[in-house]
Short mmCIF file of all heavy atoms in Angstrom, two decimals:
data_model
loop_
_atom_site.label_atom_id
_atom_site.label_comp_id
_atom_site.label_asym_id
_atom_site.label_seq_id
_atom_site.Cartn_x
_atom_site.Cartn_y
_atom_site.Cartn_z
N PRO A 1 -33.50 23.16 -62.04
CA PRO A 1 -33.45 24.61 -62.14
C PRO A 1 -34.00 25.16 -63.46
O PRO A 1 -34.24 26.33 -63.56
CB PRO A 1 -31.98 24.94 -61.98
CG PRO A 1 -31.42 23.85 -61.14
CD PRO A 1 -32.23 22.64 -61.52
N ASP A 2 -34.19 24.31 -64.48
CA ASP A 2 -34.74 24.80 -65.74
C ASP A 2 -36.19 25.26 -65.62
O ASP A 2 -36.70 25.96 -66.47
CB ASP A 2 -34.65 23.72 -66.82
CG ASP A 2 -33.21 23.44 -67.22
OD1 ASP A 2 -32.37 24.35 -67.07
OD2 ASP A 2 -32.94 22.32 -67.67
N ASP A 3 -36.86 24.86 -64.54
CA ASP A 3 -38.26 25.24 -64.34
C ASP A 3 -38.42 26.67 -63.83
O ASP A 3 -39.53 27.16 -63.74
CB ASP A 3 -38.93 24.29 -63.34
CG ASP A 3 -39.06 22.88 -63.90
OD1 ASP A 3 -39.09 22.73 -65.14
OD2 ASP A 3 -39.11 21.94 -63.10
N PHE A 4 -37.31 27.32 -63.50
CA PHE A 4 -37.38 28.66 -62.93
C PHE A 4 -37.10 29.70 -64.00
O PHE A 4 -36.27 29.51 -64.87
CB PHE A 4 -36.41 28.78 -61.76
CG PHE A 4 -36.75 27.82 -60.66
CD1 PHE A 4 -36.10 26.59 -60.57
CD2 PHE A 4 -37.74 28.11 -59.75
CE1 PHE A 4 -36.43 25.69 -59.58
CE2 PHE A 4 -38.08 27.21 -58.75
CZ PHE A 4 -37.42 26.00 -58.66
N THR A 5 -37.80 30.81 -63.90
CA THR A 5 -37.77 31.81 -64.97
C THR A 5 -36.62 32.80 -64.90
O THR A 5 -36.35 33.49 -65.86
CB THR A 5 -39.08 32.61 -64.96
OG1 THR A 5 -39.25 33.20 -63.67
CG2 THR A 5 -40.26 31.71 -65.28
N SER A 6 -35.93 32.88 -63.78
CA SER A 6 -34.83 33.84 -63.68
C SER A 6 -33.64 33.21 -62.97
O SER A 6 -33.78 32.22 -62.25
CB SER A 6 -35.27 35.09 -62.92
OG SER A 6 -35.42 34.79 -61.54
N ASP A 7 -32.48 33.80 -63.18
CA ASP A 7 -31.28 33.31 -62.50
C ASP A 7 -31.43 33.41 -60.98
O ASP A 7 -31.00 32.53 -60.26
CB ASP A 7 -30.05 34.09 -62.95
CG ASP A 7 -29.52 33.61 -64.30
OD1 ASP A 7 -30.12 32.68 -64.87
OD2 ASP A 7 -28.51 34.16 -64.76
N LEU A 8 -32.06 34.49 -60.53
CA LEU A 8 -32.26 34.66 -59.09
C LEU A 8 -33.10 33.52 -58.52
O LEU A 8 -32.76 32.94 -57.48
CB LEU A 8 -32.92 36.00 -58.78
CG LEU A 8 -33.25 36.24 -57.30
CD1 LEU A 8 -31.97 36.21 -56.45
CD2 LEU A 8 -33.99 37.54 -57.14
N ASN A 9 -34.17 33.16 -59.20
CA ASN A 9 -35.01 32.06 -58.73
C ASN A 9 -34.25 30.75 -58.72
O ASN A 9 -34.42 29.93 -57.81
CB ASN A 9 -36.27 31.93 -59.59
CG ASN A 9 -37.25 33.05 -59.34
OD1 ASN A 9 -37.20 33.71 -58.30
ND2 ASN A 9 -38.13 33.29 -60.28
N LYS A 10 -33.41 30.53 -59.72
CA LYS A 10 -32.59 29.31 -59.75
C LYS A 10 -31.62 29.28 -58.57
O LYS A 10 -31.46 28.26 -57.91
CB LYS A 10 -31.80 29.24 -61.06
CG LYS A 10 -32.64 28.99 -62.27
CD LYS A 10 -31.79 29.03 -63.53
CE LYS A 10 -32.63 28.99 -64.77
NZ LYS A 10 -31.82 29.07 -66.00
N MET A 11 -30.97 30.42 -58.30
CA MET A 11 -30.01 30.49 -57.20
C MET A 11 -30.71 30.26 -55.86
O MET A 11 -30.21 29.52 -55.01
CB MET A 11 -29.29 31.83 -57.20
CG MET A 11 -28.28 31.96 -58.31
SD MET A 11 -27.35 33.49 -58.25
CE MET A 11 -28.45 34.57 -59.15
N LEU A 12 -31.86 30.88 -55.67
CA LEU A 12 -32.59 30.71 -54.42
C LEU A 12 -33.03 29.26 -54.23
O LEU A 12 -33.00 28.74 -53.11
CB LEU A 12 -33.79 31.65 -54.36
CG LEU A 12 -33.44 33.14 -54.26
CD1 LEU A 12 -34.70 33.99 -54.36
CD2 LEU A 12 -32.66 33.45 -53.00
N TYR A 13 -33.41 28.60 -55.30
CA TYR A 13 -33.78 27.19 -55.24
C TYR A 13 -32.59 26.34 -54.78
O TYR A 13 -32.70 25.54 -53.85
CB TYR A 13 -34.28 26.72 -56.60
CG TYR A 13 -34.57 25.25 -56.66
CD1 TYR A 13 -35.72 24.72 -56.09
CD2 TYR A 13 -33.68 24.37 -57.28
CE1 TYR A 13 -35.98 23.36 -56.14
CE2 TYR A 13 -33.94 23.02 -57.34
CZ TYR A 13 -35.09 22.51 -56.77
OH TYR A 13 -35.34 21.17 -56.82
N VAL A 14 -31.45 26.54 -55.41
CA VAL A 14 -30.25 25.77 -55.03
C VAL A 14 -29.84 26.11 -53.60
O VAL A 14 -29.52 25.22 -52.80
CB VAL A 14 -29.10 26.03 -56.02
CG1 VAL A 14 -27.81 25.40 -55.53
CG2 VAL A 14 -29.47 25.51 -57.40
N LEU A 15 -29.84 27.39 -53.26
CA LEU A 15 -29.46 27.80 -51.91
C LEU A 15 -30.36 27.18 -50.84
O LEU A 15 -29.92 26.90 -49.73
CB LEU A 15 -29.48 29.33 -51.79
CG LEU A 15 -28.33 30.05 -52.48
CD1 LEU A 15 -28.64 31.55 -52.56
CD2 LEU A 15 -27.02 29.80 -51.76
N SER A 16 -31.61 26.93 -51.18
CA SER A 16 -32.53 26.35 -50.20
C SER A 16 -32.14 24.92 -49.83
O SER A 16 -32.57 24.41 -48.80
CB SER A 16 -33.97 26.39 -50.73
OG SER A 16 -34.16 25.43 -51.76
N TYR A 17 -31.31 24.27 -50.64
CA TYR A 17 -30.86 22.92 -50.35
C TYR A 17 -29.50 22.87 -49.66
O TYR A 17 -29.06 21.80 -49.25
CB TYR A 17 -30.80 22.08 -51.64
CG TYR A 17 -32.16 21.62 -52.08
CD1 TYR A 17 -32.92 22.38 -52.95
CD2 TYR A 17 -32.69 20.44 -51.58
CE1 TYR A 17 -34.18 21.96 -53.35
CE2 TYR A 17 -33.96 20.02 -51.96
CZ TYR A 17 -34.69 20.79 -52.84
OH TYR A 17 -35.95 20.38 -53.21
N LEU A 18 -28.83 24.00 -49.57
CA LEU A 18 -27.53 24.02 -48.90
C LEU A 18 -27.71 24.05 -47.39
O LEU A 18 -28.68 24.61 -46.88
CB LEU A 18 -26.73 25.25 -49.33
CG LEU A 18 -26.37 25.36 -50.80
CD1 LEU A 18 -25.55 26.62 -51.04
CD2 LEU A 18 -25.62 24.13 -51.29
N TRP A 19 -26.76 23.44 -46.68
CA TRP A 19 -26.78 23.47 -45.22
C TRP A 19 -25.34 23.46 -44.73
O TRP A 19 -24.40 23.28 -45.50
CB TRP A 19 -27.58 22.31 -44.65
CG TRP A 19 -27.12 20.96 -45.13
CD1 TRP A 19 -27.48 20.32 -46.28
CD2 TRP A 19 -26.20 20.10 -44.48
NE1 TRP A 19 -26.85 19.13 -46.39
CE2 TRP A 19 -26.04 18.95 -45.29
CE3 TRP A 19 -25.48 20.16 -43.29
CZ2 TRP A 19 -25.20 17.90 -44.94
CZ3 TRP A 19 -24.65 19.11 -42.95
CH2 TRP A 19 -24.52 18.00 -43.77
N GLY A 20 -25.16 23.69 -43.45
CA GLY A 20 -23.83 23.67 -42.85
C GLY A 20 -22.92 24.75 -43.42
O GLY A 20 -23.37 25.86 -43.71
N PRO A 21 -21.64 24.41 -43.59
CA PRO A 21 -20.66 25.40 -44.05
C PRO A 21 -21.01 26.02 -45.41
O PRO A 21 -20.76 27.20 -45.63
CB PRO A 21 -19.36 24.61 -44.16
CG PRO A 21 -19.53 23.44 -43.26
CD PRO A 21 -21.01 23.13 -43.27
N ALA A 22 -21.60 25.24 -46.29
CA ALA A 22 -21.95 25.79 -47.61
C ALA A 22 -22.99 26.89 -47.48
O ALA A 22 -22.86 27.97 -48.06
CB ALA A 22 -22.46 24.68 -48.53
N ALA A 23 -24.02 26.65 -46.70
CA ALA A 23 -25.06 27.66 -46.50
C ALA A 23 -24.50 28.88 -45.79
O ALA A 23 -24.78 30.03 -46.16
CB ALA A 23 -26.22 27.08 -45.71
N LYS A 24 -23.69 28.64 -44.78
CA LYS A 24 -23.13 29.75 -44.00
C LYS A 24 -22.18 30.62 -44.83
O LYS A 24 -22.03 31.80 -44.55
CB LYS A 24 -22.42 29.22 -42.76
CG LYS A 24 -23.39 28.72 -41.73
CD LYS A 24 -22.70 28.23 -40.49
CE LYS A 24 -23.74 27.72 -39.50
NZ LYS A 24 -23.15 27.24 -38.27
N SER A 25 -21.54 30.03 -45.82
CA SER A 25 -20.60 30.82 -46.62
C SER A 25 -21.31 31.77 -47.58
O SER A 25 -20.79 32.83 -47.92
CB SER A 25 -19.65 29.91 -47.39
OG SER A 25 -20.33 29.26 -48.43
N PHE A 26 -22.51 31.41 -48.03
CA PHE A 26 -23.25 32.26 -48.96
C PHE A 26 -24.15 33.27 -48.24
O PHE A 26 -24.46 34.32 -48.77
CB PHE A 26 -24.10 31.40 -49.91
CG PHE A 26 -23.29 30.73 -50.97
CD1 PHE A 26 -22.91 29.40 -50.85
CD2 PHE A 26 -22.92 31.42 -52.11
CE1 PHE A 26 -22.17 28.77 -51.84
CE2 PHE A 26 -22.17 30.81 -53.11
CZ PHE A 26 -21.80 29.48 -52.97
N GLU A 27 -24.58 32.95 -47.05
CA GLU A 27 -25.56 33.77 -46.33
C GLU A 27 -25.13 35.23 -46.13
O GLU A 27 -25.93 36.13 -46.39
CB GLU A 27 -25.88 33.12 -44.98
CG GLU A 27 -27.00 33.78 -44.24
CD GLU A 27 -27.32 33.02 -42.97
OE1 GLU A 27 -27.71 31.84 -43.07
OE2 GLU A 27 -27.17 33.62 -41.90
N PRO A 28 -23.91 35.51 -45.67
CA PRO A 28 -23.56 36.92 -45.45
C PRO A 28 -23.66 37.78 -46.71
O PRO A 28 -24.06 38.94 -46.64
CB PRO A 28 -22.11 36.85 -44.96
CG PRO A 28 -21.94 35.47 -44.45
CD PRO A 28 -22.85 34.61 -45.26
N ASP A 29 -23.31 37.21 -47.86
CA ASP A 29 -23.39 37.98 -49.10
C ASP A 29 -24.82 38.33 -49.46
O ASP A 29 -25.09 39.38 -50.04
CB ASP A 29 -22.76 37.20 -50.25
CG ASP A 29 -21.24 37.20 -50.20
OD1 ASP A 29 -20.68 38.12 -49.57
OD2 ASP A 29 -20.63 36.29 -50.77
N LEU A 30 -25.76 37.47 -49.11
CA LEU A 30 -27.16 37.72 -49.44
C LEU A 30 -27.77 38.83 -48.60
O LEU A 30 -28.80 39.39 -48.95
CB LEU A 30 -27.98 36.44 -49.27
CG LEU A 30 -27.60 35.31 -50.21
CD1 LEU A 30 -28.35 34.05 -49.84
CD2 LEU A 30 -27.85 35.68 -51.65
N MET A 31 -27.14 39.15 -47.48
CA MET A 31 -27.66 40.19 -46.59
C MET A 31 -27.12 41.58 -46.91
O MET A 31 -27.50 42.56 -46.30
CB MET A 31 -27.31 39.85 -45.13
CG MET A 31 -27.83 38.51 -44.68
SD MET A 31 -29.62 38.45 -44.89
CE MET A 31 -29.94 36.75 -44.58
N LYS A 32 -26.23 41.66 -47.90
CA LYS A 32 -25.63 42.95 -48.26
C LYS A 32 -26.62 43.79 -49.08
O LYS A 32 -27.50 43.26 -49.74
CB LYS A 32 -24.37 42.71 -49.09
CG LYS A 32 -23.25 42.08 -48.31
CD LYS A 32 -22.04 41.87 -49.18
CE LYS A 32 -20.91 41.25 -48.38
NZ LYS A 32 -19.75 40.97 -49.21
N PRO A 33 -26.44 45.11 -49.05
CA PRO A 33 -27.26 45.98 -49.90
C PRO A 33 -27.05 45.65 -51.38
O PRO A 33 -25.99 45.16 -51.77
CB PRO A 33 -26.74 47.38 -49.60
CG PRO A 33 -26.01 47.27 -48.32
CD PRO A 33 -25.51 45.86 -48.23
N GLN A 34 -28.04 45.90 -52.18
CA GLN A 34 -28.02 45.56 -53.61
C GLN A 34 -26.75 46.04 -54.31
O GLN A 34 -26.18 45.32 -55.11
CB GLN A 34 -29.25 46.16 -54.29
CG GLN A 34 -29.36 45.87 -55.76
CD GLN A 34 -30.21 44.66 -56.05
OE1 GLN A 34 -30.97 44.23 -55.21
NE2 GLN A 34 -30.09 44.13 -57.24
N ASN A 35 -26.29 47.23 -54.00
CA ASN A 35 -25.13 47.78 -54.69
C ASN A 35 -23.81 47.17 -54.23
O ASN A 35 -22.77 47.43 -54.82
CB ASN A 35 -25.09 49.31 -54.56
CG ASN A 35 -24.94 49.76 -53.12
OD1 ASN A 35 -25.37 49.08 -52.19
ND2 ASN A 35 -24.35 50.92 -52.93
N LEU A 36 -23.83 46.34 -53.19
CA LEU A 36 -22.61 45.70 -52.69
C LEU A 36 -22.60 44.19 -52.89
O LEU A 36 -21.72 43.49 -52.40
CB LEU A 36 -22.43 46.01 -51.20
CG LEU A 36 -22.24 47.48 -50.84
CD1 LEU A 36 -22.16 47.65 -49.33
CD2 LEU A 36 -21.01 48.06 -51.51
N LEU A 37 -23.59 43.69 -53.62
CA LEU A 37 -23.68 42.25 -53.84
C LEU A 37 -22.50 41.77 -54.69
O LEU A 37 -22.09 42.44 -55.63
CB LEU A 37 -24.99 41.88 -54.52
CG LEU A 37 -26.24 42.04 -53.67
CD1 LEU A 37 -27.49 41.80 -54.52
CD2 LEU A 37 -26.23 41.09 -52.49
N PRO A 38 -21.96 40.59 -54.38
CA PRO A 38 -20.84 40.07 -55.16
C PRO A 38 -21.30 39.61 -56.55
O PRO A 38 -22.50 39.43 -56.80
CB PRO A 38 -20.34 38.89 -54.33
CG PRO A 38 -21.48 38.50 -53.47
CD PRO A 38 -22.29 39.74 -53.25
N LEU A 39 -20.34 39.40 -57.42
CA LEU A 39 -20.62 39.03 -58.80
C LEU A 39 -21.45 37.76 -58.91
O LEU A 39 -22.31 37.64 -59.78
CB LEU A 39 -19.29 38.86 -59.56
CG LEU A 39 -19.40 38.53 -61.03
CD1 LEU A 39 -20.14 39.64 -61.78
CD2 LEU A 39 -18.02 38.33 -61.63
N TRP A 40 -21.24 36.79 -58.02
CA TRP A 40 -21.96 35.52 -58.14
C TRP A 40 -23.47 35.67 -58.00
O TRP A 40 -24.22 34.80 -58.42
CB TRP A 40 -21.43 34.47 -57.17
CG TRP A 40 -21.68 34.73 -55.72
CD1 TRP A 40 -20.80 35.24 -54.82
CD2 TRP A 40 -22.87 34.44 -54.98
NE1 TRP A 40 -21.36 35.32 -53.58
CE2 TRP A 40 -22.64 34.83 -53.65
CE3 TRP A 40 -24.11 33.91 -55.31
CZ2 TRP A 40 -23.61 34.70 -52.65
CZ3 TRP A 40 -25.07 33.78 -54.32
CH2 TRP A 40 -24.82 34.17 -53.01
N THR A 41 -23.94 36.76 -57.47
CA THR A 41 -25.38 36.96 -57.30
C THR A 41 -26.06 37.45 -58.58
O THR A 41 -27.28 37.57 -58.62
CB THR A 41 -25.69 37.95 -56.16
OG1 THR A 41 -25.13 39.23 -56.50
CG2 THR A 41 -25.13 37.48 -54.84
N THR A 42 -25.30 37.74 -59.61
CA THR A 42 -25.87 38.30 -60.83
C THR A 42 -26.15 37.27 -61.91
O THR A 42 -26.82 37.58 -62.89
CB THR A 42 -24.95 39.37 -61.42
OG1 THR A 42 -23.70 38.77 -61.77
CG2 THR A 42 -24.72 40.50 -60.43
N SER A 43 -25.63 36.06 -61.76
CA SER A 43 -25.76 35.06 -62.82
C SER A 43 -25.75 33.65 -62.22
O SER A 43 -24.92 33.34 -61.36
CB SER A 43 -24.60 35.23 -63.80
OG SER A 43 -24.27 34.05 -64.44
N PHE A 44 -26.65 32.81 -62.70
CA PHE A 44 -26.69 31.43 -62.21
C PHE A 44 -25.41 30.70 -62.57
O PHE A 44 -24.88 29.92 -61.78
CB PHE A 44 -27.91 30.70 -62.77
CG PHE A 44 -28.07 29.31 -62.22
CD1 PHE A 44 -28.39 29.12 -60.89
CD2 PHE A 44 -27.88 28.20 -63.02
CE1 PHE A 44 -28.53 27.84 -60.36
CE2 PHE A 44 -28.03 26.92 -62.52
CZ PHE A 44 -28.35 26.74 -61.18
N LEU A 45 -24.86 30.98 -63.74
CA LEU A 45 -23.61 30.35 -64.15
C LEU A 45 -22.47 30.74 -63.20
O LEU A 45 -21.71 29.88 -62.74
CB LEU A 45 -23.26 30.73 -65.59
CG LEU A 45 -21.93 30.20 -66.11
CD1 LEU A 45 -21.92 28.67 -66.11
CD2 LEU A 45 -21.67 30.73 -67.51
N THR A 46 -22.37 32.01 -62.89
CA THR A 46 -21.33 32.48 -61.96
C THR A 46 -21.55 31.88 -60.58
O THR A 46 -20.60 31.49 -59.91
CB THR A 46 -21.33 34.01 -61.88
OG1 THR A 46 -21.23 34.54 -63.19
CG2 THR A 46 -20.18 34.53 -61.05
N PHE A 47 -22.78 31.78 -60.15
CA PHE A 47 -23.11 31.17 -58.86
C PHE A 47 -22.66 29.72 -58.82
O PHE A 47 -22.02 29.28 -57.86
CB PHE A 47 -24.61 31.27 -58.60
CG PHE A 47 -25.08 30.41 -57.47
CD1 PHE A 47 -24.77 30.72 -56.16
CD2 PHE A 47 -25.85 29.28 -57.71
CE1 PHE A 47 -25.20 29.93 -55.10
CE2 PHE A 47 -26.29 28.48 -56.67
CZ PHE A 47 -25.96 28.81 -55.37
N THR A 48 -22.97 28.94 -59.87
CA THR A 48 -22.57 27.53 -59.87
C THR A 48 -21.05 27.39 -59.92
O THR A 48 -20.50 26.49 -59.29
CB THR A 48 -23.22 26.75 -61.03
OG1 THR A 48 -22.93 27.38 -62.26
CG2 THR A 48 -24.72 26.66 -60.85
N GLU A 49 -20.38 28.27 -60.64
CA GLU A 49 -18.91 28.24 -60.66
C GLU A 49 -18.36 28.50 -59.26
O GLU A 49 -17.40 27.86 -58.83
CB GLU A 49 -18.37 29.27 -61.65
CG GLU A 49 -18.62 28.89 -63.10
CD GLU A 49 -18.30 30.00 -64.08
OE1 GLU A 49 -18.07 31.15 -63.66
OE2 GLU A 49 -18.30 29.71 -65.28
N GLU A 50 -18.95 29.45 -58.55
CA GLU A 50 -18.53 29.77 -57.18
C GLU A 50 -18.77 28.57 -56.25
O GLU A 50 -17.91 28.20 -55.45
CB GLU A 50 -19.32 30.98 -56.68
CG GLU A 50 -18.93 31.47 -55.31
CD GLU A 50 -17.71 32.38 -55.33
OE1 GLU A 50 -17.21 32.72 -56.41
OE2 GLU A 50 -17.27 32.75 -54.24
N LEU A 51 -19.90 27.95 -56.39
CA LEU A 51 -20.25 26.79 -55.58
C LEU A 51 -19.27 25.64 -55.84
O LEU A 51 -18.75 25.03 -54.90
CB LEU A 51 -21.68 26.36 -55.91
CG LEU A 51 -22.33 25.30 -55.06
CD1 LEU A 51 -22.43 25.74 -53.61
CD2 LEU A 51 -23.70 24.96 -55.60
N ILE A 52 -18.99 25.37 -57.08
CA ILE A 52 -18.07 24.29 -57.44
C ILE A 52 -16.65 24.60 -56.97
O ILE A 52 -15.95 23.74 -56.44
CB ILE A 52 -18.11 24.03 -58.96
CG1 ILE A 52 -19.45 23.41 -59.33
CG2 ILE A 52 -16.95 23.15 -59.41
CD1 ILE A 52 -19.74 23.39 -60.82
N ALA A 53 -16.22 25.85 -57.16
CA ALA A 53 -14.87 26.23 -56.77
C ALA A 53 -14.61 26.04 -55.28
O ALA A 53 -13.52 25.66 -54.86
CB ALA A 53 -14.61 27.69 -57.16
N HIS A 54 -15.64 26.28 -54.47
CA HIS A 54 -15.44 26.23 -53.02
C HIS A 54 -15.85 24.91 -52.38
O HIS A 54 -15.37 24.58 -51.29
CB HIS A 54 -16.20 27.37 -52.35
CG HIS A 54 -15.61 28.70 -52.65
ND1 HIS A 54 -14.45 29.15 -52.10
CD2 HIS A 54 -16.03 29.68 -53.50
CE1 HIS A 54 -14.15 30.34 -52.56
NE2 HIS A 54 -15.10 30.68 -53.42
N PHE A 55 -16.72 24.13 -53.03
CA PHE A 55 -17.27 22.96 -52.34
C PHE A 55 -17.19 21.65 -53.12
O PHE A 55 -17.72 20.65 -52.67
CB PHE A 55 -18.72 23.23 -51.92
CG PHE A 55 -18.80 24.36 -50.94
CD1 PHE A 55 -19.21 25.61 -51.35
CD2 PHE A 55 -18.40 24.18 -49.63
CE1 PHE A 55 -19.25 26.68 -50.46
CE2 PHE A 55 -18.42 25.23 -48.73
CZ PHE A 55 -18.85 26.48 -49.15
N SER A 56 -16.54 21.64 -54.26
CA SER A 56 -16.38 20.36 -54.96
C SER A 56 -15.19 19.62 -54.36
O SER A 56 -14.31 20.23 -53.73
CB SER A 56 -16.17 20.59 -56.45
OG SER A 56 -14.95 21.27 -56.68
N PRO A 57 -15.13 18.31 -54.52
CA PRO A 57 -14.00 17.55 -53.98
C PRO A 57 -12.69 18.05 -54.58
O PRO A 57 -12.61 18.38 -55.77
CB PRO A 57 -14.28 16.12 -54.44
CG PRO A 57 -15.75 16.08 -54.70
CD PRO A 57 -16.12 17.46 -55.15
N VAL A 58 -11.66 18.08 -53.76
CA VAL A 58 -10.34 18.52 -54.21
C VAL A 58 -9.66 17.42 -55.00
O VAL A 58 -9.02 17.65 -56.00
CB VAL A 58 -9.47 18.94 -53.00
CG1 VAL A 58 -8.07 19.29 -53.44
CG2 VAL A 58 -10.12 20.11 -52.28
N ASP A 59 -9.81 16.19 -54.55
CA ASP A 59 -9.17 15.04 -55.16
C ASP A 59 -10.24 14.07 -55.64
O ASP A 59 -10.64 13.16 -54.92
CB ASP A 59 -8.24 14.38 -54.13
CG ASP A 59 -7.51 13.17 -54.68
OD1 ASP A 59 -7.61 12.91 -55.89
OD2 ASP A 59 -6.85 12.47 -53.89
N LEU A 60 -10.71 14.26 -56.86
CA LEU A 60 -11.79 13.43 -57.39
C LEU A 60 -11.42 11.95 -57.42
O LEU A 60 -12.23 11.09 -57.06
CB LEU A 60 -12.21 13.90 -58.78
CG LEU A 60 -12.90 15.25 -58.85
CD1 LEU A 60 -13.16 15.64 -60.30
CD2 LEU A 60 -14.20 15.24 -58.08
N CYS A 61 -10.22 11.63 -57.85
CA CYS A 61 -9.81 10.22 -57.92
C CYS A 61 -9.74 9.61 -56.53
O CYS A 61 -10.23 8.51 -56.29
CB CYS A 61 -8.46 10.09 -58.61
SG CYS A 61 -8.51 10.47 -60.37
N GLY A 62 -9.13 10.32 -55.61
CA GLY A 62 -9.02 9.83 -54.24
C GLY A 62 -10.37 9.66 -53.59
O GLY A 62 -10.63 8.67 -52.91
N ASP A 63 -11.27 10.61 -53.79
CA ASP A 63 -12.60 10.52 -53.23
C ASP A 63 -13.37 9.34 -53.83
O ASP A 63 -14.10 8.64 -53.14
CB ASP A 63 -13.39 11.81 -53.45
CG ASP A 63 -12.91 12.95 -52.56
OD1 ASP A 63 -12.12 12.68 -51.62
OD2 ASP A 63 -13.33 14.10 -52.80
N SER A 64 -13.20 9.13 -55.13
CA SER A 64 -13.86 8.01 -55.79
C SER A 64 -13.33 6.67 -55.26
O SER A 64 -14.09 5.75 -55.00
CB SER A 64 -13.67 8.06 -57.30
OG SER A 64 -14.26 9.22 -57.81
N GLU A 65 -12.02 6.57 -55.12
CA GLU A 65 -11.42 5.34 -54.60
C GLU A 65 -11.88 5.08 -53.18
O GLU A 65 -12.19 3.95 -52.80
CB GLU A 65 -9.90 5.42 -54.66
CG GLU A 65 -9.34 5.34 -56.06
CD GLU A 65 -7.84 5.57 -56.11
OE1 GLU A 65 -7.20 5.71 -55.05
OE2 GLU A 65 -7.30 5.59 -57.23
N HIS A 66 -11.93 6.12 -52.39
CA HIS A 66 -12.36 5.97 -50.99
C HIS A 66 -13.81 5.52 -50.93
O HIS A 66 -14.21 4.74 -50.05
CB HIS A 66 -12.17 7.28 -50.24
CG HIS A 66 -12.53 7.23 -48.79
ND1 HIS A 66 -12.55 6.09 -48.05
CD2 HIS A 66 -12.89 8.21 -47.93
CE1 HIS A 66 -12.91 6.36 -46.81
NE2 HIS A 66 -13.13 7.65 -46.73
N GLY A 67 -14.63 5.98 -51.86
CA GLY A 67 -16.04 5.61 -51.90
C GLY A 67 -16.27 4.16 -52.26
O GLY A 67 -17.31 3.58 -51.95
N LEU A 68 -15.29 3.54 -52.91
CA LEU A 68 -15.42 2.13 -53.29
C LEU A 68 -15.13 1.30 -52.09
O LEU A 68 -15.44 0.33 -51.71
CB LEU A 68 -14.45 1.79 -54.43
CG LEU A 68 -14.72 2.51 -55.73
CD1 LEU A 68 -13.60 2.19 -56.73
CD2 LEU A 68 -16.05 2.11 -56.33
#
């Protein structure tokens, strides 16, 4: 994402790799009028925090153990 010149371009790049429930959860917000866009659409940092909050593993240790 460092190759992109704006936060919007970074977000669109990351969003292009999302699929399934992750993509479907962000899609409705992107279709809203500009004045109704949620906070996560204004900053790449806020966007990544939103992504992590909703889609990161809940139990990192358990997930790591299961992966072994």
Side-chain angles (χ1 to χ4, degrees):
D2 292 334
D3 293 335
F4 299 96
T5 57
S6 72
D7 281 0
L8 177 61
N9 288 340
K10 291 176 188 178
M11 287 184 274
L12 293 174
Y13 175 76
V14 172
L15 286 167
S16 73
Y17 282 91
L18 298 181
W19 55 275
K24 288 182 181 180
S25 72
F26 285 99
E27 187 176 299
D29 285 337
L30 296 173
M31 302 303 170
K32 292 180 179 177
Q34 181 94 18
N35 63 331
L36 298 176
L37 290 174
L39 183 60
W40 68 260
T41 62
T42 62
S43 152
F44 185 68
L45 177 61
T46 307
F47 167 71
T48 55
E49 289 170 350
E50 184 83 5
L51 188 61
I52 290 167
H54 291 286
F55 297 103
S56 65
V58 175
D59 180 7
L60 291 176
C61 291
D63 287 348
S64 297
E65 288 174 5
H66 182 23
L68 295 174

